[in-house]
Amino acid sequence: MGKRLLWTWTALAGLACTGLASGPLVAAPPESLSADQLDWQPWGDDRPAGAVCRGHYVMPDYRLPPPPGEKVASESDRADYGEDGETTLGGEVLLRRGEAQLEAPRVRVPGSRETAYAEGPLTLRDSGLLVRGDAAELSLNSDAASIDSAHYVAHEQRLRGDAVRLARLEDGRYRLTEASFTTCEPDSDLWRLVGSDILLDRERGVGTATHARLEVGKVPVFYWPWVRFPLDERRQTGFLWPTIGLSNDSLDYTQPFYWNIAPNHDATLTPRWISDRGLLLGGEVRYLFSQDAGQFEGAYIADDSAAGDDASDASDLENGDARWYLDYRHAGRFDARTRYQLRYGAASDGRYFEDFGRGFGEGDTASMPRLAQLDHRGDVWQLQARAQGYQKLDDPLLDRDKPFYRLPSLTANARWSQNNGFYQQWLSNVTHFWRDVDETQVSIREAANGTRLHLSPATGWRFDEPWGHLEPRLEWLATAYQLDYGERNTERDEGLTRSVPVGTLDGGLVFERELELGGRGYRQTLEPRINYAYVPARDQTEFPNFDTAEQAFSWNQLWSPYRFSGSDRVGDLNRISLGLDSRLLADASGRERLSVGVGQAYYLDNRAIDMDGDPDKSGRDDYANFTSYYRATRDRSPLVTRADWQLTDNWRSRWQWLYDEHLEQTESTSLALEYRADAGHVLNLGYRWQLQGFDPSQEDEDVVTYNREEVDLSFAWKASRRLDLIGRLLYDNTNDRALEQLAGVQWNDCCYGLQLVWREWIDDSDTANTIEDDLTDRGIFLRFVFKGLGGVGGEADSYFEEAIPGYRATAFGRR
């Protein structure tokens, strides 16, 4: 097994910046005030669930009632009046105009009555804003004000800071000189933005700063000549934090730019420089309307200097090739019953995502879907029209592996039910299948394009009572093909038809008894079930295979007459299935605590129809291998045993075991143990064993040549309100190797968030049936978010939630 050392990370850009103590960074705001001077109140019993801040800002009530109109109300201990009309208020002075209130020990108002001058320490409040300072100049005719040695708090935005001078402009914005800005709690300066000139626009939710530096623990780590940042959760146009990566001695730098075009329309432009490949230009556009939404993403590199370095000898990729991908998605509705979807994806070659990736958890993408679909859901009829296909990303992509397009596919389904238990069903579909291949490079069966009409009307009767059920059902599968073999010479029939009846009889009984276990009352059921299915064999040797695969055996297959997915094969079947279920129900609530079942199918005839479609198979030599022969001629299915046990409100286990009594071997078994806690803790323990060749639906390159035995352990532990620990180990016990290892930590504080995850995984090079060409990849993912300012690294929450079922990553919002 090969090993490829691929270390990647995202990190704080600019940590190694030089000259951080040079000229433009000399802005020195005043020292911060203590928490009790900034309207900060620690949480008590009313602390909201999930709150990570230790307290919150609370604006006290105004001390003066609002005066009428634009007048100024005042209150003071004493007042002195000068000969020129000047008034000096002293003691405890209160002034209020509109939403603004001033508290100061001394206020001087000249005779013009246009301006007030206050001496501190003073307090100014204005619509969710607190400012404390040493001196102030306030306009009595407008909202303009200027405060020296200011300390400010915006309650709703949860931001605070300090400034040598704070000025409120007449248009409502605030200009701060030699000032700081942070969303950290009072008495904490884990990070702050310091600038020589900061402009805050609370109405638009945006701030700007010139000659700004980012301090972490009062250590400067980054400098901007000019920076724009959000004041709340509203999206703002501007540069996002960069991403830096290193792999195989190659530098990978990404600098995204976000463009907030409109409230329902935005874009992200993402130039990416990879030192050994060149400049990759990427982007994403999103839009949202009342009944429609969509997005477009893509990337392009004009000259990939390393395009052919890792490509196989059969690949057409060469150094210097242009490479790209695009993916467009749109969905909407015309009315409550009619919806539509559009999707188009394409890539320049099958190795694009292997070389450039798409995200932390998605280094490879198997295909690019293409779809145009219209759905209408009526009370009786369900109609669908679609054109569908996808680009399979293999390099090289052989003709025999190219997928079929559906151009188009039309479906009309309906169901009618009567009160006496009878029902009728109509399923119909017509599809034209096409793919662009050289007919001479594939087998004659795979060379055909064509149209398939498939009709499956059915009728039945359902008798259903609490003590049991009975359902006879008859279905007629009628299929017709019109095929085209192109330039290929063949004597095969191009117009094929097939009609197959499918008859089933399903019945079961339910016995109940009251039961007491551990002092608790339960209701136990015993539910025997029998199912008979008959499907005659039809010759399908000349039928194409557009969308069909043989299904692996399971509990559900005991009760289904369909051995194949899709409509190109109808498997013959003459079978009786017997099963026994037992459930344990909590008597008071009816909640299912335990369900166990055992079942087996008994075949009255051999199954002649496989993917070859030949009904005349009789001996061992007619089958490709022993597994196929045994699957077709065995007289009993494996014994299927399953159990689903809700041990407690938090613990649950599931088990399924398929055992072949004749060969005395296990065909498949799976065991899962899950823990879910209200606090958010998650534990998953899974075990899977499968006999080689158990799943006949897999493609050749995905069929492993060994018995598969895997253990999957994953967990997420919310150690506190702020700290999450996550991990996963997927272990291949057959080959004594770890298929995936993941360990990480998420810290969600009041003013910052951190995700740090290490991951190592096996890349099977799209050939799961061999391990000699497997490669080991490793990566480190870092995301650091300064709440209210932005962050470093892209989101990987969706990958973590997929890798650890039941885990829900905490959003890095302001709380």
Side-chain angles (χ1 to χ4, degrees):
M1 181 176 68
K3 181 171 289 189
R4 177 172 63 198
L5 301 179
L6 175 59
W7 292 91
T8 62
W9 65 87
T10 57
L12 284 173
L15 286 178
C17 290
T18 60
L20 289 180
S22 59
L25 302 184
V26 296
E31 288 295 324
S32 301
L33 296 180
S34 60
D36 59 356
Q37 296 178 282
L38 298 175
D39 292 346
W40 179 260
Q41 291 187 9
W43 289 112
D45 295 337
D46 59 342
R47 180 173 188 161
V52 294
C53 294
R54 297 171 178 82
H56 57 143
Y57 294 105
V58 178
M59 182 175 177
D61 295 334
Y62 286 97
R63 296 179 62 183
L64 285 179
E70 296 297 318
K71 293 184 178 181
V72 177
S74 66
E75 183 180 288
S76 64
D77 292 338
R78 64 179 184 274
D80 298 324
Y81 301 96
E83 295 180 356
D84 57 356
E86 181 180 86
T87 301
T88 302
L89 304 178
E92 188 175 11
V93 181
L94 297 175
L95 296 180
R96 183 171 180 184
R97 177 182 178 272
E99 296 296 319
Q101 176 182 277
L102 173 68
E103 304 174 31
R106 186 172 185 273
V107 176
R108 181 173 61 87
V109 181
S112 62
R113 297 297 190 264
E114 295 181 352
T115 307
Y117 300 91
E119 299 177 4
L122 59 86
T123 301
L124 176 66
R125 298 188 180 279
D126 184 7
S127 185
L129 179 74
L130 164 68
V131 182
R132 297 188 185 275
D134 291 344
E137 179 179 335
L138 300 92
S139 171
L140 299 179
N141 299 321
S142 69
D143 293 329
S146 176
I147 301 174
D148 295 335
S149 297
H151 311 273
Y152 67 93
V153 172
H155 299 77
E156 185 177 350
Q157 290 82 14
R158 302 186 62 86
L159 62 88
R160 64 177 179 86
D162 313 283
V164 171
R165 177 178 293 271
L166 181 149
R168 171 163 178 162
L169 309 180
E170 292 188 6
D171 60 6
R173 295 181 299 166
Y174 291 85
R175 182 176 296 279
L176 293 79
T177 304
E178 293 197 47
S180 66
F181 161 90
T182 186
T183 58
C184 294
E185 299 171 318
D187 302 325
S188 171
D189 284 329
L190 187 134
W191 73 265
R192 67 175 186 170
L193 183 72
V194 180
S196 61
D197 183 77
I198 297 179
L199 190 63
L200 304 180
D201 189 339
R202 297 173 65 204
E203 183 177 343
R204 296 174 55 206
V206 65
T208 60
T210 59
H211 293 311
R213 68 179 184 268
L214 174 65
E215 294 183 355
V216 177
K218 295 194 176 181
V219 176
V221 297
F222 200 82
Y223 166 74
W224 295 271
W226 181 88
V227 65
R228 181 187 179 102
F229 53 90
L231 299 181
D232 50 34
E233 302 298 337
R234 284 178 285 181
R235 304 186 304 270
Q236 303 293 341
T237 296
F239 286 101
L240 305 179
W241 286 84
T243 301
I244 298 177
L246 289 177
S247 62
N248 296 336
D249 300 323
S250 173
L251 174 66
D252 189 340
Y253 178 87
T254 303
Q255 178 57 73
F257 177 82
Y258 178 78
W259 183 14
N260 187 29
I261 303 171
N264 65 332
H265 192 187
D266 63 10
T268 303
L269 308 177
T270 312
R272 178 181 176 188
W273 171 258
I274 308 173
S275 61
D276 63 342
R277 293 185 179 274
L279 178 63
L280 179 74
L281 298 176
E284 178 189 62
V285 177
R286 302 184 301 177
Y287 55 88
L288 175 65
F289 301 107
S290 60
Q291 299 190 85
D292 311 84
Q295 70 177 55
F296 174 87
E297 65 176 78
Y300 178 80
I301 181 171
D303 183 355
D304 180 5
S305 303
D309 288 354
D310 295 326
S312 67
D313 294 338
S315 173
D316 294 330
L317 282 173
E318 297 180 354
N319 292 346
D321 282 352
R323 305 181 71 186
W324 52 268
Y325 92 95
L326 59 88
D327 192 0
Y328 174 68
R329 312 178 192 192
H330 181 91
R333 64 180 184 178
F334 295 111
D335 53 49
R337 293 178 178 267
T338 308
R339 298 177 179 271
Y340 69 93
Q341 299 179 61
L342 300 174
R343 179 80 182 268
Y344 183 81
S348 57
D349 56 84
R351 282 193 56 86
Y352 178 89
F353 292 105
E354 292 184 43
D355 292 339
F356 295 100
R358 204 169 187 174
F360 173 74
E362 190 179 11
D364 184 19
T365 298
S367 63
M368 299 297 291
R370 297 158 185 183
L371 174 68
Q373 181 169 310
L374 178 67
D375 291 279
H376 177 77
R377 304 294 180 188
D379 295 332
V380 174
W381 287 91
Q382 290 80 48
L383 308 177
Q384 183 185 89
R386 64 173 168 165
Q388 184 181 29
Y390 61 92
Q391 177 188 1
K392 188 173 182 179
L393 298 182
D394 284 348
D395 184 49
L397 178 60
L398 304 178
D399 278 355
R400 68 171 181 267
D401 295 328
K402 289 182 179 180
F404 282 96
Y405 281 76
R406 294 172 169 87
L407 300 173
S409 177
L410 305 176
T411 300
N413 299 333
R415 184 181 175 90
W416 300 268
S417 300
Q418 289 79 50
N419 294 331
N420 57 9
F422 283 96
Y423 65 86
Q424 300 80 39
Q425 178 179 288
W426 173 269
L427 303 178
S428 60
N429 173 268
V430 58
T431 300
H432 179 73
F433 293 93
W434 172 87
R435 63 175 176 172
D436 183 17
V437 299
D438 182 350
E439 294 89 353
T440 63
Q441 300 300 311
V442 296
S443 66
I444 188 64
R445 172 177 288 177
E446 296 176 330
N449 294 324
T451 300
R452 182 187 70 198
L453 173 65
H454 184 71
L455 307 176
S456 52
T459 186
W461 176 70
R462 176 80 180 185
F463 173 79
D464 207 345
E465 294 290 341
W467 52 265
H469 76 274
L470 180 66
E471 182 179 7
R473 174 186 170 94
L474 178 63
E475 185 176 12
W476 191 267
L477 304 182
T479 312
Y481 292 86
Q482 187 61 49
L483 303 178
D484 180 8
Y485 289 89
E487 302 298 325
R488 191 77 174 263
N489 293 324
T490 177
E491 296 181 357
R492 298 170 68 94
D493 193 352
E494 296 182 352
L496 300 170
T497 60
R498 178 192 63 204
S499 295
V500 187
V502 177
T504 60
L505 177 64
D506 189 75
L509 297 173
V510 179
F511 301 96
E512 295 184 353
R513 68 166 181 168
E514 302 299 323
L515 183 67
E516 186 172 313
L517 292 174
R520 297 182 179 180
Y522 294 94
R523 183 159 38 99
Q524 184 187 16
T525 69
L526 192 65
E527 305 173 35
R529 183 178 180 182
I530 184 171
N531 181 280
Y532 174 72
Y534 177 75
V535 184
R538 294 290 188 268
D539 188 351
Q540 300 164 62
T541 52
E542 294 192 3
F543 281 45
N545 178 18
F546 292 137
D547 62 356
T548 293
E550 188 173 357
Q551 301 189 74
F553 199 79
S554 65
W555 174 267
N556 291 334
Q557 282 294 103
L558 284 172
W559 323 111
S560 172
Y562 310 111
R563 293 173 42 221
F564 297 91
S565 63
S567 302
D568 295 315
R569 296 290 180 275
V570 177
D572 55 321
L573 192 63
N574 189 6
R575 180 216 65 201
I576 295 177
S577 294
L578 300 177
L580 183 64
D581 266 317
S582 181
R583 295 182 295 154
L584 199 63
L585 307 176
D587 192 41
S589 63
R591 183 178 180 183
E592 185 175 282
R593 286 292 184 180
L594 175 66
S595 174
V596 296
V598 60
Q600 192 169 30
Y602 298 86
Y603 300 110
L604 307 181
D605 288 314
N606 292 342
R607 279 76 55 214
I609 301 300
D610 56 13
M611 290 303 297
D612 291 336
D614 185 357
D616 297 326
K617 292 184 174 70
S618 57
R620 167 69 180 84
D621 294 339
D622 294 329
Y623 294 88
N625 50 53
F626 173 77
T627 300
S628 300
Y629 170 72
Y630 182 67
R631 186 181 292 126
T633 58
R634 65 194 303 176
D635 59 2
R636 286 178 293 179
S637 76
L639 183 68
V640 185
T641 306
R642 67 173 184 86
D644 190 336
W645 186 10
Q646 187 76 43
L647 289 79
T648 68
D649 289 343
N650 304 116
W651 289 93
R652 179 181 180 180
S653 68
R654 291 191 301 273
W655 173 63
Q656 180 170 281
W657 180 41
L658 277 69
Y659 181 74
D660 185 341
E661 301 167 276
H662 179 70
L663 297 181
E664 297 183 346
Q665 66 180 8
T666 295
E667 292 192 4
S668 173
T669 186
S670 61
L671 174 66
L673 180 64
E674 300 175 353
Y675 173 74
R676 304 287 187 270
D678 295 338
H681 310 313
V682 172
L683 175 65
N684 302 290
L685 176 61
Y687 174 81
R688 180 176 70 165
W689 194 96
Q690 279 189 357
L691 188 69
Q692 176 183 337
F694 170 77
D695 187 355
S697 66
Q698 294 178 320
E699 298 182 6
D700 293 341
E701 62 268 21
D702 295 326
V703 178
V704 298
T705 55
Y706 50 82
N707 299 334
R708 184 195 299 268
E709 185 178 24
E710 294 176 355
V711 177
D712 193 349
L713 171 65
S714 63
F715 72 91
W717 188 262
K718 292 188 176 294
S720 69
R721 293 176 184 267
R722 298 173 179 82
L723 180 63
D724 292 2
L725 304 175
I726 63 175
R728 185 192 187 194
L729 172 64
L730 177 59
Y731 191 76
D732 175 7
N733 197 51
T734 305
N735 299 297
D736 193 21
R737 61 178 184 167
L739 298 178
E740 178 166 8
Q741 301 174 77
L742 181 149
V745 59
Q746 174 172 289
W747 178 265
N748 188 25
D749 205 333
C750 187
C751 67
Y752 76 99
L754 171 71
Q755 285 177 334
L756 178 61
V757 179
W758 168 82
R759 182 184 177 222
E760 179 178 291
W761 69 100
I762 296 293
D763 180 357
D764 65 9
S765 301
D766 296 325
T767 53
N769 53 8
T770 59
I771 65 173
E772 289 78 12
D773 60 350
D774 290 355
L775 301 171
T776 300
D777 286 355
R778 299 184 181 95
I780 296 178
F781 172 85
L782 171 65
R783 182 184 179 212
F784 200 104
V785 174
F786 302 100
K787 295 185 179 180
L789 186 62
V792 180
E795 296 185 12
D797 294 351
S798 60
Y799 173 75
F800 300 149
E801 293 175 2
E802 179 181 346
I804 307 170
Y807 173 58
R808 294 296 176 264
T810 303
F812 286 156
R814 306 186 192 188
R815 290 178 299 166

